[in-house]
Amino acid sequence: MKKILNYIFIVSILVYSSACDSNFDELNTNKVSATSIDPAFQLNNAIIGSAYSTGTLIYEIGVVQQIVSPNSGLLTGANYNQDNRGVTDDSWQAYYRNVIKNTKDVISQIKEDPSRENLYHMTRIIQANAYMVLTDTYGSVPYFEGGVGYSQQIYLPVYDSQQVIYTDLIKELSEASAALNPSGRIETADILYAGDIMKWKSFGYSLLLRAGMRLSEVDPTTAQSVVQQAFQGGVILTNSENASLKHDPNYTNPIGNLLNATEASNFYLTEPFVEYLRSKNDPRLPAIAITYVGAKSGPEQTPANGTYAADVHVGMPMGNDNAGAVKAASDLGLASFYEFAQADRRRLAKNTAQNFLVTASQNYLLLAEARQRGWITSGDVESYFNAGVRAHMLQLGTVDEGSSIALGEIDAYLSANPFDSSKAMEQIGMQYWVSSFLNGPEAFANFRRTGFPILQANPYQGREVEFINRLTYPNSEISVNSENVQAAISAQGADNLATKVWWDK
């Protein structure tokens, strides 16, 4: 009897186990969790990731002497002309992790899918923009093997020279811009242009124009050919076409976020920038700046004592640490260095401010230079120049209504500061500097290419170089991908702030 009971018990367990296992896979499958993602959303992640990192405020924007901080530690950078590898890696990490990783994956998924042809070419354009920033910042970088650790298991990518990278960037931008098809599928999920293919074309050709102009000193023949191609393709020439990231409370502007948080009272407009705008009676100074009159501390920088008045703004002199800034403020009769002018964090530097990748103003000024060089034959230099100045002044009002400049003020400025053909390149370069305010990577690149604006070397006594020409490689790359990094350094030059990138002649 005992054996029979044991047998019945074992059979019951087996039957029960079989019943429990029935449809087990189906029951344990999450039917609401995504198993794939539309590559259009990955492109959106790459677009969002294209916003300029906070590190550009410490380095690139400081190099061109628009904004600096007197503080050291994490904020050491162009304020002291010293290497700070805790910050120089910001753009590297941001672009490889948030842009290149996504664009390379999207391209690998849809390259052979004719139904997503437009998305493929849009992705190539965003990727080209990211790589242009990376190579302009560091020089040689992983290009062909960069960002494919997941898809191709290349974890130690080879570095490519800037000359090789630019050759391929020009090819990519030329092909992608030309191939975008308004009759093809419209990618309505696109957060940059809502799938407007003609605007994407203009964006692509605008980047091609920028790439061509980068070669002006190192390969003028190729530069002229590329610029002509971009111009004929059609570049951004209205503010409604500007390639800008529209930030909101969920996806904030990194620079604006920094200036509205822990570092709100630590960054100031520089003396060279403020004085240039003031010397021209430029209406952009009150549109950009705010001074907190009588402020002796950060908490005293309140809207109640803030003023936009141009005659009140005083820029912080270059080359000061915290103690130096205290003395400089005292020498100028200010209550403290907290009374130096700042980029207004409630208008242009708010955390929801747009992040401009390419603008009509920048394009007009590049076309003015191209016309001056004789590389294009349509239009005249003065008209392009004036259009560039006008477009930037109008652009400020698209960021915040409080920074709007009246048409009458714009006309008065152009009348009082007329274009002078004998100083064409200088005037164009100076206006490009102002037009690229808060676009650190582009202002930094154009400054090195053209030599404008004409700036005095940072006088800080502990500086490592007079002018910063590139940023240094991340410590993580040096320790992990050391063989390829050393090969790049051997070919390019020392991994320091003084070494020039290929096109910087």
Side-chain angles (χ1 to χ4, degrees):
M1 181 68 179
K2 185 176 181 180
K3 290 182 179 179
I4 293 173
L5 290 174
N6 287 339
Y7 176 77
I8 292 172
F9 178 70
I10 291 170
V11 170
S12 298
I13 290 175
L14 291 173
V15 170
Y16 179 76
S17 298
S18 176
C20 286
D21 193 51
S22 178
N23 299 320
F24 181 81
D25 289 341
E26 182 179 349
L27 289 171
N28 285 275
T29 299
N30 189 333
K31 296 181 179 180
V32 298
S33 179
T35 57
S36 64
I37 183 172
D38 188 321
F41 297 130
Q42 279 187 272
L43 175 59
N44 282 343
N45 279 337
I47 292 170
I48 292 170
S50 298
Y52 305 121
S53 68
T54 56
T56 64
L57 187 65
I58 297 171
Y59 271 100
E60 289 94 319
I61 294 174
V63 171
V64 298
Q65 299 184 13
Q66 292 178 333
I67 296 176
V68 291
S69 170
N71 293 357
S72 58
L74 289 175
L75 301 187
T76 295
N79 54 351
Y80 301 159
N81 274 22
Q82 293 179 354
D83 190 9
N84 177 3
R85 299 202 185 211
V87 177
T88 59
D89 67 349
D90 271 20
S91 289
W92 186 285
Q93 304 292 359
Y95 280 94
Y96 275 113
R97 290 178 179 177
N98 302 327
V99 184
I100 305 301
K101 180 179 70 175
N102 281 300
T103 56
K104 287 285 182 87
D105 189 41
V106 170
I107 288 171
S108 69
Q109 291 182 60
I110 66 174
K111 185 176 182 179
E112 306 300 331
D113 183 354
S115 70
R116 308 304 291 274
E117 183 179 10
N118 279 335
L119 183 66
Y120 168 57
H121 298 306
M122 291 155 59
T123 305
R124 294 170 79 185
I125 290 170
I126 288 295
Q127 181 168 280
N129 176 69
Y131 269 124
M132 196 181 303
V133 172
L134 284 168
T135 189
D136 289 347
T137 303
Y138 302 99
S140 299
V141 297
Y143 181 75
F144 293 104
E145 292 187 356
V148 293
Y150 175 77
S151 61
Q152 298 181 33
Q153 286 75 58
I154 297 177
Y155 305 116
L156 302 175
V158 170
Y159 282 53
D160 299 287
S161 71
Q162 186 173 61
Q163 183 175 6
V164 169
I165 292 170
Y166 258 88
T167 298
D168 199 69
L169 285 177
I170 289 168
K171 177 189 76 68
E172 285 291 287
L173 290 168
S174 299
E175 292 179 356
S177 302
L180 284 167
N181 181 11
S183 299
R185 173 171 172 169
I186 303 302
E187 300 289 346
T188 55
D190 155 38
I191 60 171
L192 186 60
Y193 285 125
D196 189 323
I197 295 303
M198 296 310 295
K199 288 183 178 179
W200 271 97
K201 273 183 171 289
S202 295
F203 177 33
Y205 281 121
S206 297
L207 288 174
L208 186 63
L209 171 65
R210 182 176 286 181
M213 295 303 292
R214 287 284 197 273
L215 310 186
S216 63
E217 306 306 314
V218 71
D219 187 355
T221 300
T222 300
Q224 178 176 358
S225 175
V226 173
V227 167
Q228 288 175 347
Q229 180 186 354
F231 180 61
Q232 291 166 4
V235 300
I236 294 168
L237 292 177
T238 65
N239 283 329
S240 63
E241 298 175 306
N242 285 342
S244 66
L245 310 181
K246 283 75 172 178
H247 294 286
D248 60 29
N250 293 315
Y251 299 98
T252 55
N253 183 314
I255 292 175
N257 196 49
L258 182 73
L259 293 179
N260 281 276
T262 55
E263 307 301 338
S265 58
N266 289 330
F267 284 91
Y268 295 86
L269 294 172
T270 71
E271 182 181 55
F273 189 64
V274 170
E275 288 310 307
Y276 175 75
L277 295 175
R278 190 201 311 283
S279 70
K280 304 294 183 182
N281 197 23
D282 195 319
R284 284 173 289 191
L285 180 55
I288 289 171
I290 188 168
T291 291
Y292 296 99
V293 179
K296 297 185 180 64
S297 65
E300 291 185 21
Q301 293 179 333
T302 64
N305 62 358
T307 180
Y308 303 145
D311 59 345
V312 175
H313 299 317
V314 177
M316 179 175 284
M318 293 295 299
N320 287 297
D321 57 14
N322 197 275
V326 170
K327 183 179 185 305
S330 176
D331 291 345
L332 291 165
L334 303 181
S336 74
F337 72 72
Y338 294 100
E339 201 175 2
F340 281 117
Q342 291 184 298
D344 188 4
R345 55 183 180 268
R346 296 176 181 85
R347 293 184 296 162
L348 294 188
K350 61 188 178 182
N351 61 12
T352 55
Q354 297 175 59
N355 190 299
F356 292 94
L357 304 181
V358 181
T359 67
S361 175
Q362 291 170 329
N363 283 345
Y364 274 122
L365 292 168
L366 290 180
L367 291 177
E369 181 183 341
R371 184 69 182 89
Q372 178 70 20
R373 292 176 180 272
W375 290 354
I376 59 174
T377 57
S378 299
D380 62 85
V381 181
E382 183 175 358
S383 295
Y384 287 129
F385 175 82
N386 288 340
V389 175
R390 186 180 298 275
H392 184 243
M393 290 188 178
L394 292 173
Q395 175 190 316
L396 299 182
T398 69
V399 180
D400 191 278
E401 187 177 351
S403 293
S404 298
I405 299 175
L407 295 178
E409 290 183 274
I410 299 174
D411 292 337
Y413 173 83
L414 291 173
S415 177
N417 299 276
F419 176 74
D420 182 349
S421 60
S422 68
K423 300 178 180 177
M425 297 299 283
E426 178 181 353
Q427 284 190 319
I428 293 167
M430 297 300 286
Q431 287 299 327
Y432 202 90
W433 176 49
V434 179
S435 177
S436 299
F437 180 68
L438 293 179
N439 183 337
E442 184 57 21
F444 180 38
N446 207 62
F447 167 61
R448 288 174 289 164
R449 179 182 71 85
T450 66
F452 297 112
I454 299 173
L455 300 172
Q456 298 298 313
N458 186 336
Y460 185 71
Q461 291 186 351
R463 69 188 182 191
E464 295 175 12
V465 292
E466 286 195 355
F467 283 101
I468 295 173
N469 293 318
R470 63 177 285 276
L471 301 192
T472 51
Y473 292 127
N475 286 329
S476 58
E477 278 291 294
I478 294 171
S479 61
V480 175
N481 195 15
S482 57
E483 183 176 341
N484 290 320
V485 173
Q486 291 306 318
I489 293 171
S490 296
Q492 177 173 268
D495 183 28
N496 58 34
L497 302 176
T499 295
K500 292 187 175 184
V501 298
W502 167 69
W503 52 250
D504 181 4
K505 300 300 179 181

